[in-house]
Structure formats: structure tokens, C-alpha cells
Amino acid sequence: MQRLSIICFVVLAFAAPANAFEVDAFKSGMSKEQVKEALKSYTFDKVQDFSAQTLIAYDQPEKGSNRQFVFDFCNNKLAGLQQEMAPSNRNLVIVINNYNAKYGQPIKVNAGSNVTSTGDKNELALYWRKGLDVVGVKYSVIAPIEQLLVQYDASNNCWQTPR
């Protein structure tokens, strides 16, 4: 009987999704329709199908809320989520501190600068592994615009993580 209990426990443990991020009402593996339904309670100014693989929900810039979610789908299932936050050094330090406490030291850090058609781009990106998922924090500056993003990516066959 004890052996049967152990076998059942092992089977259930492997049946549980190992790569399932969950952010607010959004879980990896959701369909685009399920994400759209969950977004109704957020009252964004606009929810837009950017492409077959991408859905964007945001408030108008004049509102000053800095609310924007970008949902990326792989094989019609939610596999990536980017959440924009108010860009500030204080918020960056708090988010990094929280993820360091939760997941340990980052698995990857990118810091760089390059020149784009719109000017100099400076970026700092840190990534942590959570099971098979990757959680990232990106702070980008293309003067005069600053952007702070938190990114969640489930393991998938559409893009390499971290991206």
C-alpha cells in the first residue's frame, strides 16, 4: 500500500506543469481568448491584436498609468508576458531586490549600449530561472524615454529563453 502511494505521488508530481508562470490572472498555456476574457476586469483603454502571436493591452500615454501588458503566444498558447512598470531607479532596485530574494542570483546579466536610428540605447537586463521558466527585468533608456519591463517566459519551441 505504501509503495502504491509513493507511485501515485510521483505520477502526480510529473503530471503537474513544471513550466507554468502565473502573473495575476494570467497563466502560461492560456489561449488568446482566455487572456482577452481575463483582461476585461483590468479596464485597459485598449486591447489590440498586434499579430497572430501577440496581444497588447495598454492605457493611453496621457493617462500616465504606465500600464501595458504584452502577451506572446506560441502554438496558440500563452508563453510570454511582459509587464511595463513606472520607470525609475527606485523601482528597478526594488524589483531586482525582490527577485534576488525569491530566486537567488540572476542566471544572466546583460548591460550594454548601442546606437539606433532614434539615438543611443542603454539597457540593463537581468534574468532568473524559475523551474523551466525565465523571469527577466529590463531597464532601457532611449532619451528621453525610459522603460522598465518585467518579463515572464515559459519554456517553448517558438523562441529561445531568455530573449
Side-chain angles (χ1 to χ4, degrees), residues 129-162:
R129 181 136 337 255
K130 179 187 174 197
L132 296 176
D133 294 346
V134 173
V135 178
V137 175
K138 289 183 183 179
Y139 196 91
S140 301
V141 179
I142 303 176
I145 299 168
E146 295 184 32
Q147 187 176 43
L148 175 58
L149 297 173
V150 176
Q151 178 177 322
Y152 303 87
D153 282 321
S155 180
N156 65 80
N157 60 3
C158 296
W159 62 82
Q160 184 179 352
T161 59

Side-chain angles (χ1 to χ4, degrees), residues 6-16:
I6 291 170
I7 291 171
C8 287
F9 176 76
V10 170
V11 168
L12 288 174
F14 282 108

Side-chain angles (χ1 to χ4, degrees), residues 30-36 49 51-55 73:
M30 293 175 78
S31 69
K32 193 183 272 191
E33 289 71 34
Q34 289 172 314
V35 170
K36 284 180 179 179
D49 279 304
S51 71
Q53 294 81 29
T54 305
L55 179 69
F73 297 85

Side-chain angles (χ1 to χ4, degrees), residues 79-121:
L81 168 60
Q82 284 186 1
Q83 182 178 11
E84 187 169 341
M85 301 179 158
S88 73
N89 290 332
R90 180 181 184 279
N91 287 351
L92 176 65
V93 169
I94 290 170
V95 171
I96 290 172
N97 186 53
N98 289 345
Y99 286 132
N100 273 342
K102 194 170 186 176
Y103 305 121
Q105 291 299 310
I107 60 166
K108 184 177 181 180
V109 176
N110 288 336
S113 250
N114 60 24
V115 178
T116 67
S117 61
T118 57
D120 290 345
K121 179 180 181 181

Side-chain angles (χ1 to χ4, degrees), residues 29-91:
M30 293 175 78
S31 69
K32 193 183 272 191
E33 289 71 34
Q34 289 172 314
V35 170
K36 284 180 179 179
E37 186 62 33
L39 278 169
K40 288 179 182 177
S41 66
Y42 285 75
T43 62
F44 280 101
D45 291 341
K46 186 140 183 148
V47 175
Q48 178 181 0
D49 279 304
F50 185 75
S51 71
Q53 294 81 29
T54 305
L55 179 69
I56 300 175
Y58 61 93
D59 287 334
Q60 297 297 333
E62 55 273 7
K63 201 178 221 180
S65 68
N66 290 305
R67 283 194 330 151
Q68 177 176 297
F69 285 176
V70 177
F71 301 91
D72 293 311
F73 297 85
C74 176
N75 300 320
N76 299 315
K77 300 292 181 192
L78 181 62
L81 168 60
Q82 284 186 1
Q83 182 178 11
E84 187 169 341
M85 301 179 158
S88 73
N89 290 332
R90 180 181 184 279
N91 287 351

